[in-house]
Amino acid sequence: MAPRKRPSPADRAEEDENEEIEVVDGESAQSNLRQDPRKRARLSYRDSSDRGSEAPSEDDVVFQEQETQFHTQQRSNNQSSNTAADNGILESVNCTNFMCHSYLEVALGPLINFIIGHNGSGKSAVLTAITICLGGKATATNRGQSLKSFIKEGTEAAVLSVKIKNRGESSYQNDVYGDAIIVERHFTRSGTSSFKLKSSLGRLISTKKADLEEICDYFALQIDNPMNVLTQDMARQFLSNSTPQEKYKFFMKGTQLEHLDGDYLQIEGNLDIIDQGLATILADLGQYEEAARKAKATLAMSEKHESLRMKITNMSQQMAWSQVEEQEQKLAKADEELVKITDKITNAKQKADQSSESYDAADRSFREADGVVKDLQLSLAPHDERKDQAKEEHDKAKADAMTVQTEQRAIKDYMKQSNERIKRAENDIQEELRRLEEVNGGSNARLLAEIEEKRAELAEARSRMDDHDGRLQNLEEEHRHALQNLERSKEPIPRQRKEVQECEERLNRLARDKGRQEGAYHAHLPRLLRAIREDRGFRETPVGPLGYHVRLLKPSWSGILEKSFGATLNTFIVTSKPDQIKLSEVMNRCQCQCPIMIGNNGPVDTSGHEPDPKFDTSLRVLEIDNDLVRKQLIINQMIEQTMLHDDRKEAVNLMSDSRLQNVKQCFTPNKNGAGSRYSYGWGGNLVENYIPAYKGTPRMKTDVEFQISDCRSELQRLRNELNDLERTQRERQTNVKNCEQAIVRHKRETRELRIEVQRLEGAVEEIQDRLDNGAVEEGKLDALKQGLEEAKEELSTYQASFGDSVIAKDKAAEVLKTLRDRMSAIDVETANIKAKIHKAEVKSVKVSERRDAALRDKNSAYAAIKQQEDAYKVAESVRNDQAHTVECFIEEASKICDRVRVDRGETTHTLEAKLDKLSTDLKAWEKRQVVWYFGVAGSPGLHMHRLGGSRHELAVEATRALKEYRQAKAHVENVEELAQACMNLLKSTLVNRKERWKSFQRAITARARVQFMWMLSERNFRGRLLANHKEKKLDLQVEPDATKVSKGREAKTLSGGEKSFSTICLLLSLWDAMGAPVRCLDEFDVFMDSVNREVSMRKMIEAARYSIGKQFILITPGSMGSVHSANDVKIIKMKDPERGQTTITFPN
């Protein structure tokens, strides 16, 4: 259908001539302004009531010009194609865990965008995401009261991202952000929220919301403008339920006229405040003027007795400068004191230099003496090695001699056995001779007696052999036990030798140090202590090491307490964290790391927490010279509740019978310097812990002679134990050899017994054969003789071996003697070296004592320097304070007068007495005076008046009042001049801006009216836009039938579709008057039928195309079948919602 011809402007003017409707002129009517990136352009409305009576003739002219301009613009827009803006529009929107979307990415077109989808598909979430991501409030979306309500169920955080185009010449900081600005907003259920501004490459640029607001201002992205971003609820309210007042509010907010109107109200309020402030200042000026007048009148009344006042003035001046002279005398004395202290410091430094030189010399002597001791001790080591080697050779030679002696004893036994065999052989030969003689005589009975005798001997020999075989197992068992005992005796010897060596070294250190504690600590400890003394950066000087401040009264407990305290005795104590950090730095610098504790100077009372006085405790056997050390040992080591008991059994009984009051642990000594610790465990059970012996140098002060004596006793005990162990080893070694020889003898005797049994068996068989055969054995005598010869040869061999063993024994004895002589010589050399070491150690101790004395003198000298320097600082501070006092006195006296000479003999006290008398006389006179003065109204009168002060005080008061009045008057004049200039400027500016605001108002209203009428005509509607700025109403009259002559119908009389179409035309008309680059509308067609929806859709697309470079985001639940695809129109279809619905089965 072709559009019907629209009424002319003259016809419209006739219809509107008697109504209070303002149709204003317009030059451009479109507030499409690009602002400075840090300034927001605002439009405002103020005092528009005077526009309601404008003559219709003027409106007709304005309206006709506006319509002509509009049609010219429409023809220009129709001829040119819509092009996308280079910047300020949205390219994409991303949502993560937002509302109903787990992840949503929407790519927007640069011009016209339709977002369609079924209900619940999340269309409105896109518009909500844009509003929230660009800094809008959650309540502005009408979708929730807080950000956490937009987080998807089942998740804890959401992320939104909007990409803004940023190209062209008017881009925003293109060198920083690039061709696009990415805005991200993160928020969680816990309430945290943050923004991130990123470049087109994803690089983080800023996290400040102020930067985001600056970007939105630059691109005119009016997210908080209800006409710019119409949410679903706002669109429903605007399209269907809005009243004329609400439409007017939408119009004012959308065009930002309301914002600028508020600024103008604020300017007028500031002008009122300036007027009020100026009135207040003028009132104060009157008070200053009255005070000055009264002070001047009072001063005039005191012009009497000038000579008395002159005397008082002179006395006051002298008194002021006499006080200055007294302070200057004190300053001179302070200067003299500084000179004296400076001389003392110079003398102390000279003494310190001399003491330092003496200490250096003593230190060099000590090092030389100590070097001699160390060299001698090093030279002693080879002698000890030689002695050990000689002793080892001696032990080996002694073992060889014992072996030779054992062999010699065995050879003697063999020789004895050989002699016995020879005797038996000779007896057998004699017996055989007798037998032969008897055989020759014949005697069978003798053979029977002989065989019985041999059989008895054979039985006895077999019995001996069985007994002998049974002893072999015992001998082997004894040998195995002897070997085991020997191995066990070897194991503790190296350990015992090491303990002896350590004890000797400890004894040497004690003898060398003679009570000096430095050797028990770190080698660089003296350097650390010197650095601490010289450092002035500590709040309080650190205390330490703790062992320096502890003396052990009972040296017998030294080892156990040293082991129990452990590293605590090496600890330093400070009283603050800065001192701890400072001390740690000093330790690092001195390369001497020690533990550091932080304590305080508060007292610790242990009187009610100690055990029975009859028991010794760690606290009672210690003498501690520092409260900080005592407190830390009480806190960390429980020394006040640690019982010391010499008898282990009695201590266990005491601890076991009942829980001792105020006893937490008990130490008892064991042998070898070790000890035991008894404490109450879980459930009150007694727990025992072993305390190893302390092997180091004592760190606590104690009786050195007792320690040396105790160490010597310990060394003697260890040496005796070592000798016992070595003697036991030798005895067990001899026992092993004896067992081995016993086994050898047993085997030899076994062979001999076996031979004896075989011989007797042969003899029995021989006699039996003789009895059986009755024959006389021949050749037996020769065999016996041959056996005799063999026994003699064996004896001769043993005799030769015995001679060799005698020679070997003599050689072994000679070797032993040589080794003993060698060991004796080594002992003599060792004794000489030890004597030299002792002599050198004595010398070293003496030199060390001299060095310690020199060190004490040096420390005393430096302490004296510090004392004098501290005294100098105090005196200097006193002198500076006194100099400041003199300056103050001079300054105060100069306020009274220039310097005057004080009469000889006058002091502050004498001048003060004279001044008091004169002042008393003057005050008595002043109180009796009758004076004239002027009242408040300026009329003179006679009054009794007490002046209330001296003339000087009155003069000072009058001068002060006059000065204050002049200052206040000058201030008021300056303020009046400045306020007048500012107010004139502000008023002229305000009038100018209000006129410009009214011009904008008229132009925008006219533009919207023309646009509204043109859009209605596209559907052959006729209507007009009624704007009453006085009553703040905006309404529309629409006649759907253009052929019908009438003023039009009100919106409430229209059908739903006609009303929605008309309101859409109104919205597009207002949009055309706005300058925002992005326009958003949600469900604009919710109340339209298909015809009105199609027309409205087409009309919105045409209006969007006329808006060159503007981006439109339109949300509709309907389909887009009637919209033809084009390059500038993009349709975004949302996915259908997942509702989880299934088919309902109905019963038949």
Side-chain angles (χ1 to χ4, degrees):
M1 180 183 295
R4 189 171 175 270
K5 183 179 180 181
R6 290 169 289 176
S8 66
D11 296 335
R12 299 191 192 94
E14 291 177 0
E15 296 173 356
D16 301 340
E17 63 183 15
N18 293 322
E19 296 180 341
E20 274 191 58
I21 297 173
E22 181 182 2
V23 181
V24 295
D25 65 345
E27 298 174 0
S28 174
Q30 183 175 1
S31 59
N32 185 9
L33 304 176
R34 179 56 55 90
Q35 296 89 9
D36 183 87
R38 298 191 180 274
K39 295 183 179 179
R40 177 181 300 184
R42 296 174 179 173
L43 301 176
S44 178
Y45 163 75
R46 173 154 178 80
D47 195 16
S48 60
S49 61
D50 57 344
R51 302 300 300 170
S53 60
E54 290 183 357
S57 59
E58 182 182 352
D59 292 343
D60 291 340
V61 175
V62 173
F63 190 81
Q64 186 175 7
E65 293 176 356
Q66 186 69 28
E67 185 178 29
T68 302
Q69 183 182 9
F70 176 77
H71 285 295
T72 303
Q73 182 180 354
Q74 290 298 103
R75 286 194 298 271
S76 176
N77 290 344
N78 289 332
Q79 293 174 1
S80 61
S81 60
N82 189 8
T83 58
D86 291 334
N87 49 64
I89 62 175
L90 309 182
E91 294 184 338
S92 65
V93 179
N94 293 341
C95 306
T96 303
N97 297 330
F98 183 73
M99 296 181 71
C100 62
H101 299 288
S102 297
Y103 179 76
L104 174 65
E105 181 176 1
V106 178
L108 300 173
L111 296 172
I112 306 171
N113 297 271
F114 284 95
I115 301 176
I116 65 174
H118 293 95
N119 290 334
S121 60
K123 305 183 297 300
S124 300
V126 178
L127 187 57
T128 305
I130 293 173
T131 302
I132 293 177
C133 188
L134 294 182
K137 298 181 180 179
T139 54
T141 64
N142 292 327
R143 292 280 180 157
Q145 295 300 318
S146 62
L147 291 178
K148 61 184 178 182
S149 62
F150 295 104
I151 301 175
K152 186 179 180 182
E153 291 295 329
T155 60
E156 295 297 326
V159 181
L160 302 177
S161 175
V162 173
K163 189 175 182 181
I164 304 174
K165 192 174 182 180
N166 189 41
R167 300 178 182 174
E169 295 181 356
S170 60
S171 60
Y172 180 81
Q173 298 183 11
N174 188 268
D175 56 337
V176 177
Y177 290 94
D179 293 339
I181 299 175
I182 301 174
V183 181
E184 290 185 3
R185 188 168 188 180
H186 301 249
F187 50 93
T188 64
R189 289 192 184 276
S190 61
T192 59
S193 174
S194 63
F195 291 92
K196 291 183 180 180
L197 301 180
K198 297 183 178 180
S199 65
S200 57
L201 300 178
R203 182 170 61 89
L204 181 64
I205 303 300
S206 175
T207 59
K208 299 179 180 178
K209 187 178 180 181
D211 295 337
L212 173 60
E213 293 175 349
E214 183 177 326
I215 292 173
C216 291
D217 287 346
Y218 182 80
F219 289 129
L221 295 174
Q222 302 169 12
I223 300 301
D224 54 352
N225 191 334
M227 291 299 295
N228 189 35
V229 180
L230 267 174
T231 62
Q232 186 173 350
D233 295 333
M234 295 294 291
R236 185 180 298 112
Q237 180 182 353
F238 181 78
L239 295 177
S240 62
N241 301 324
S242 59
T243 63
Q245 289 82 357
E246 291 174 343
K247 288 186 178 66
Y248 187 84
K249 288 182 180 179
F250 277 114
F251 168 74
M252 294 296 290
K253 289 183 179 179
T255 57
Q256 289 190 308
L257 293 172
E258 184 181 54
H259 199 166
L260 192 56
D261 181 43
D263 292 344
Y264 293 159
L265 286 174
Q266 186 175 0
I267 292 175
E268 289 185 348
N270 292 336
L271 290 174
D272 294 339
I273 292 174
I274 293 174
D275 288 336
Q276 294 174 3
L278 186 59
T280 302
I281 293 175
L282 290 173
D284 293 339
L285 180 61
Q287 295 179 2
Y288 282 113
E289 184 179 6
E290 179 66 17
R293 187 187 61 76
K294 288 182 177 181
K296 187 175 181 181
T298 304
L299 179 63
M301 289 187 294
S302 67
E303 296 295 336
K304 300 290 182 178
H305 285 240
E306 197 61 31
S307 61
L308 182 61
R309 292 194 181 94
M310 290 298 295
K311 288 183 179 179
I312 292 176
T313 301
N314 186 23
M315 289 290 180
S316 300
Q317 293 175 352
Q318 289 191 37
M319 181 176 178
W321 289 103
S322 67
Q323 295 178 12
V324 171
E325 290 182 356
E326 289 180 356
Q327 298 300 325
E328 287 177 344
Q329 292 174 1
K330 293 181 180 179
L331 179 61
K333 291 181 180 179
D335 290 334
E336 293 176 0
E337 183 66 20
L338 281 178
V339 172
K340 292 180 181 179
I341 296 176
T342 302
D343 295 339
K344 291 181 180 179
I345 291 175
T346 302
N347 296 333
K349 287 184 177 179
Q350 292 177 356
K351 291 182 180 179
D353 293 338
Q354 295 174 359
S355 300
S356 180
E357 292 175 359
S358 301
Y359 171 76
D360 293 339
D363 186 62
R364 287 193 298 271
S365 301
F366 171 75
R367 292 180 181 178
E368 292 175 359
D370 189 61
V372 171
V373 173
K374 291 180 179 178
D375 293 340
L376 290 174
Q377 289 176 345
L378 290 175
S379 65
L380 183 62
H383 289 78
D384 292 337
E385 292 178 358
R386 287 171 53 199
K387 181 178 179 180
D388 293 339
Q389 183 179 0
K391 189 174 184 304
E392 184 178 354
E393 293 177 359
H394 175 269
D395 293 341
K396 184 178 180 182
K398 187 175 181 181
D400 293 340
M402 292 182 65
T403 302
V404 171
Q405 186 175 0
T406 302
E407 292 177 353
Q408 188 177 24
R409 192 180 300 113
I411 292 172
K412 287 182 179 180
D413 294 337
Y414 296 153
M415 289 174 61
K416 183 178 179 181
Q417 294 174 4
S418 298
N419 287 326
E420 292 177 353
R421 289 181 60 193
I422 290 172
K423 290 181 180 179
R424 285 198 303 272
E426 290 177 348
N427 292 333
D428 291 340
I429 291 172
Q430 293 297 328
E431 183 67 24
E432 183 64 22
L433 290 175
R434 285 195 303 273
R435 187 186 65 79
L436 290 176
E437 290 177 357
E438 290 177 356
V439 168
N440 292 332
S443 178
N444 194 27
R446 185 179 297 172
L447 288 176
L448 292 174
E450 185 176 353
I451 196 171
E452 290 299 329
E453 183 181 354
K454 294 298 182 184
R455 285 175 178 171
E457 291 178 1
L458 178 59
E460 183 181 357
R462 286 176 176 173
S463 176
R464 287 200 310 273
M465 186 174 179
D466 292 338
D467 295 339
H468 189 71
D469 290 340
R471 288 197 300 273
L472 177 61
Q473 186 176 0
N474 295 333
L475 292 175
E476 290 177 348
E477 184 69 21
E478 291 176 359
H479 181 255
R480 184 168 62 256
H481 285 303
L483 288 175
Q484 293 175 353
N485 293 333
L486 178 61
E487 292 300 324
R488 283 196 295 269
S489 64
K490 289 181 179 179
E491 292 177 358
I493 291 177
R495 184 170 60 253
Q496 190 70 16
R497 285 176 179 170
K498 184 178 179 181
E499 290 184 2
V500 170
Q501 184 178 1
E502 291 176 351
C503 189
E504 289 176 346
E505 293 176 355
R506 190 160 63 251
L507 179 61
N508 291 334
R509 286 197 301 269
L510 289 173
R512 180 180 66 251
D513 295 340
K514 286 294 183 181
R516 290 184 296 107
Q517 296 173 278
E518 289 84 353
Y521 296 94
H522 196 284
H524 295 162
L525 182 62
R527 179 181 173 188
L528 173 61
L529 295 176
R530 184 165 57 253
I532 292 174
R533 286 193 300 269
E534 295 174 355
D535 197 312
R536 300 293 186 268
F538 292 104
R539 296 181 179 178
E540 292 189 23
T541 304
V543 177
L546 267 62
Y548 270 41
H549 301 276
V550 179
R551 174 177 294 278
L552 184 60
L553 303 179
K554 292 188 176 182
S556 58
W557 293 101
S558 175
I560 293 177
L561 293 181
E562 290 275 359
K563 195 69 177 179
S564 174
F565 290 157
T568 303
L569 294 177
N570 301 332
T571 303
F572 281 76
I573 305 175
V574 296
T575 57
S576 63
K577 186 66 177 179
D579 284 353
Q580 182 189 24
I581 297 172
K582 179 69 175 177
L583 180 57
S584 180
E585 294 174 354
V586 174
M587 288 181 176
N588 291 334
R589 189 168 64 248
C590 297
Q591 298 180 353
C592 180
Q593 294 294 334
C594 297
I596 303 174
M597 293 181 181
I598 298 179
N600 57 66
N601 294 316
V604 175
D605 185 11
T606 61
S607 58
H609 304 280
E610 296 188 34
D612 195 301
K614 67 181 180 180
F615 297 121
D616 279 341
T617 63
S618 299
L619 179 61
R620 291 168 184 168
V621 301
L622 297 178
E623 182 181 296
I624 304 172
D625 60 7
N626 188 281
D627 291 337
L628 272 176
V629 176
R630 179 177 180 272
K631 183 175 181 179
Q632 291 303 320
L633 290 177
I634 289 173
I635 294 173
N636 295 311
Q637 299 294 330
M638 302 180 296
I639 59 174
E640 84 285 9
Q641 295 183 346
T642 300
M643 185 173 71
L644 307 177
H645 206 291
D646 294 328
D647 192 335
R648 175 178 173 276
K649 183 183 248 182
E650 185 177 350
V652 171
N653 291 335
L654 286 171
M655 297 282 286
S656 301
D657 291 343
S658 61
R659 186 155 190 160
L660 294 177
Q661 185 178 7
N662 296 330
V663 174
K664 291 191 176 178
Q665 59 183 358
C666 177
F667 292 154
T668 61
N670 298 341
K671 64 177 183 177
N672 302 331
S676 297
R677 174 182 176 271
Y678 297 95
S679 60
Y680 295 108
W682 182 259
N685 296 326
L686 193 63
V687 180
E688 179 181 5
N689 298 104
Y690 176 72
I691 302 177
Y694 180 70
K695 303 298 183 181
T697 303
R699 293 166 293 177
M700 296 184 291
K701 301 174 184 177
T702 186
D703 187 356
V704 180
E705 296 301 329
F706 177 86
Q707 286 188 334
I708 293 175
S709 175
D710 184 67
C711 190
R712 285 175 179 169
S713 301
E714 179 68 13
L715 178 61
Q716 187 60 41
R717 183 186 63 78
L718 293 174
R719 285 175 175 174
N720 293 337
E721 291 180 356
L722 178 61
N723 293 334
D724 293 341
L725 291 174
E726 290 177 345
R727 183 172 60 255
T728 301
Q729 181 188 6
R730 289 194 298 271
E731 291 175 353
R732 291 182 177 179
Q733 189 173 8
T734 302
N735 189 26
V736 169
K737 291 182 179 180
N738 292 336
C739 291
E740 292 175 350
Q741 293 174 1
I743 292 173
V744 171
R745 286 196 302 272
H746 183 276
K747 292 179 178 179
R748 184 176 65 251
E749 290 174 357
T750 300
R751 290 195 302 271
E752 291 175 354
L753 288 174
R754 188 176 292 111
I755 293 171
E756 181 66 20
V757 169
Q758 292 175 356
R759 184 181 64 77
L760 291 175
E761 289 176 347
V764 170
E765 290 177 357
E766 180 183 357
I767 295 172
Q768 186 64 40
D769 291 340
R770 286 169 59 192
L771 288 173
D772 294 338
N773 299 326
V776 178
E777 183 179 353
E778 296 293 339
K780 181 180 181 181
L781 183 59
D782 295 333
L784 293 173
K785 290 181 179 180
Q786 184 178 359
L788 177 61
E789 293 298 328
E790 291 176 357
K792 289 182 178 179
E793 290 178 0
E794 184 178 1
L795 177 61
S796 177
T797 301
Y798 285 145
Q799 288 175 347
S801 298
F802 181 76
D804 294 339
S805 67
V806 171
I807 295 172
K809 183 178 180 182
D810 293 340
K811 289 182 178 179
E814 185 176 354
V815 170
L816 282 174
K817 184 176 181 304
T818 302
L819 291 174
R820 289 194 189 98
D821 295 340
R822 180 180 170 188
M823 289 176 64
S824 299
I826 293 174
D827 290 338
V828 172
E829 294 176 359
T830 302
N832 292 333
I833 294 176
K834 286 184 178 181
K836 293 179 180 179
I837 290 175
H838 180 70
K839 185 177 179 180
E841 287 177 345
V842 171
K843 182 179 179 181
S844 176
V845 170
K846 292 181 180 179
V847 174
S848 176
E849 291 175 352
R850 288 199 298 271
R851 186 188 70 164
D852 292 343
L855 179 60
R856 287 192 294 272
D857 294 340
K858 180 180 177 181
N859 293 337
S860 300
Y862 279 104
I865 293 174
K866 184 180 182 302
Q867 182 180 1
Q868 294 300 328
E869 289 177 346
D870 293 341
Y872 182 85
K873 290 179 181 178
V874 174
E876 186 179 26
S877 176
V878 172
R879 189 264 174 201
N880 292 336
D881 293 341
Q882 185 61 33
H884 179 69
T885 302
V886 170
E887 292 176 359
C888 293
F889 271 68
I890 291 175
E891 182 179 358
E892 293 298 325
S894 299
K895 292 179 181 179
I896 300 174
C897 65
D898 293 335
R899 186 152 191 163
V900 297
R901 186 179 65 82
V902 179
D903 296 337
R904 179 174 297 180
E906 296 289 352
T907 63
T908 302
H909 297 292
T910 59
L911 290 171
E912 184 177 8
K914 294 179 180 180
L915 184 60
D916 289 341
K917 185 177 184 306
L918 292 175
S919 298
T920 301
D921 295 341
L922 180 60
K923 288 180 180 179
W925 175 83
E926 287 177 343
K927 289 179 181 180
R928 296 192 300 270
Q929 299 307 305
V930 178
V931 297
W932 284 88
Y933 77 101
F934 289 89
V936 177
S939 60
L942 184 63
H943 296 276
M944 289 295 297
H945 179 68
R946 298 184 185 275
L947 300 180
S950 65
R951 181 183 181 281
H952 174 70
E953 293 172 346
L954 295 175
V956 171
E957 179 63 22
T959 303
R960 182 191 62 78
L962 184 60
K963 181 179 180 182
E964 290 179 351
Y965 167 67
R966 289 173 180 172
Q967 291 177 348
K969 184 177 180 181
H971 176 67
V972 169
E973 291 174 353
N974 293 333
V975 170
E976 281 184 328
E977 182 180 358
L978 180 61
Q980 192 65 32
C982 291
M983 290 181 68
N984 292 336
L985 179 61
L986 287 174
K987 288 178 180 178
S988 62
T989 303
L990 181 61
V991 171
N992 183 25
R993 286 186 176 270
K994 287 172 66 176
E995 289 299 325
R996 292 176 64 185
W997 181 86
K998 293 173 184 177
S999 176
F1000 271 119
Q1001 186 188 58
R1002 290 192 299 271
I1004 293 173
T1005 306
R1007 175 79 176 189
R1009 184 178 182 188
V1010 172
Q1011 180 77 357
F1012 177 70
M1013 299 171 104
W1014 175 79
M1015 288 184 178
L1016 286 177
S1017 67
E1018 293 296 318
R1019 200 179 169 207
N1020 287 332
F1021 282 22
R1022 181 169 56 84
R1024 59 181 179 173
L1025 189 62
L1026 307 177
N1028 190 334
H1029 297 298
K1030 182 177 181 180
E1031 297 181 2
K1032 297 184 179 180
K1033 291 182 180 181
L1034 179 67
D1035 204 355
L1036 49 91
Q1037 290 181 350
V1038 178
E1039 177 56 58
D1041 186 2
T1043 62
K1044 186 177 180 180
V1045 179
S1046 68
K1047 292 183 179 181
R1049 294 157 55 186
E1050 294 182 359
K1052 61 183 178 180
T1053 64
L1054 300 174
S1055 64
E1058 292 171 346
K1059 183 178 181 181
S1060 297
F1061 174 75
S1062 302
T1063 313
I1064 287 294
C1065 292
L1066 173 60
L1067 176 62
L1068 294 176
S1069 301
L1070 296 179
W1071 271 359
D1072 189 63
M1074 294 167 55
V1078 180
R1079 289 103 185 257
C1080 304
L1081 180 59
D1082 189 2
E1083 295 194 2
F1084 59 90
D1085 54 353
V1086 66
F1087 297 109
M1088 297 183 187
D1089 55 15
S1090 59
V1091 176
N1092 287 316
R1093 181 177 181 274
E1094 181 177 355
V1095 174
S1096 299
M1097 194 84 69
R1098 185 174 66 253
K1099 178 55 63 182
M1100 294 185 72
I1101 294 175
E1102 291 177 359
R1105 286 172 175 164
Y1106 293 150
S1107 301
I1108 304 299
K1110 300 296 185 284
Q1111 184 184 36
F1112 289 81
I1113 302 174
L1114 307 173
I1115 299 175
T1116 174
S1119 63
M1120 299 297 294
S1122 61
V1123 177
H1124 300 289
S1125 61
N1127 294 332
D1128 58 348
V1129 178
K1130 182 173 184 179
I1131 300 175
I1132 303 168
K1133 188 175 186 308
M1134 306 297 291
K1135 293 182 179 180
D1136 293 338
E1138 297 180 1
R1139 303 189 184 276
Q1141 297 177 347
T1142 58
T1143 303
I1144 301 176
T1145 303
F1146 295 96
N1148 294 330

